[in-house]
Amino acid sequence: RAVALQKYTNFVKTGKTNWIYLNGGPGTGRSYMAAVLAVDAARRNLGPICYINCSKRINELKDIQYKKTDEFNSIIEKYSNVPILVMDDFGNEFKNDFIRDAIVFQILSNRMSKRLFTIITSDFNIEEIETLYTTNKAGEIRAKQIGRILRSAADQEINLGDLSIY
């Protein structure tokens, strides 16, 4: 937790945008820590913040895309450009090629190229995320790209372990 706080403090003081990737077992405080950092960023007026639960929101986006293409594109644009994005419960969303390529990859690659601050919480480490998003041989390439983005932008995974804080 100290590493996550140090990375966040560095972002606040210098604007350096290394992402925070928190993983660990259920009840370890990943979501709580992300929420605390987001609330602090809001209090400091560091810019607009989006906080999404990936397991719910990404599935909603999949459904919106088929019914309301303009709304879908607008939401992807928002998540790609908001100054601070928290992606909570990443990796627990339904996975298919469309979700991987048109939603997850688009958001992550756009945010990395724009150097926008991102906090990701997950039950899974980055290697497991790559495995989860590998739907076929061709999809393995895109899944590895997602892994490279996460490793590069976060520069380290912060594992909170498996001991529940509750």
Side-chain angles (χ1 to χ4, degrees), residues 99-164:
I99 287 173
R100 182 196 57 232
D101 298 345
I103 299 174
V104 173
F105 179 76
Q106 291 303 318
I107 292 169
L108 295 177
S109 64
N110 287 333
R111 294 191 65 74
M112 188 181 84
S113 69
K114 295 172 184 169
R115 300 180 190 265
L116 296 171
F117 189 63
T118 306
I119 301 170
I120 299 172
T121 74
S122 181
D123 291 339
F124 308 102
N125 64 40
I126 294 172
E127 184 177 326
E128 292 168 330
I129 292 292
E130 288 178 8
T131 301
L132 289 167
Y133 270 107
T134 299
T135 55
N136 54 40
K137 195 67 174 166
E140 181 179 1
I141 295 167
R142 183 67 80 193
K144 286 182 179 180
Q145 284 180 303
I146 289 171
R148 281 194 294 272
I149 289 169
L150 294 171
R151 284 185 190 91
S152 175
D155 77 24
Q156 80 180 95
E157 296 176 56
I158 302 168
N159 187 318
L160 300 181
D162 290 317
L163 183 61
S164 176

Side-chain angles (χ1 to χ4, degrees), residues 60-77:
E60 292 170 352
L61 285 171
K62 174 183 59 84
D63 294 339
I64 290 171
Q65 192 277 335
Y66 293 112
K67 298 172 187 168
K68 302 174 185 174
T69 304
D70 290 340
E71 182 180 348
F72 171 82
N73 291 332
S74 174
I75 293 169
I76 294 297
E77 184 74 18

Side-chain angles (χ1 to χ4, degrees), residues 88-106:
D88 190 28
D89 211 19
F90 182 68
N92 285 315
E93 61 280 351
F94 176 78
K95 292 159 199 68
N96 63 24
D97 292 349
F98 175 79
I99 287 173
R100 182 196 57 232
D101 298 345
I103 299 174
V104 173
F105 179 76
Q106 291 303 318

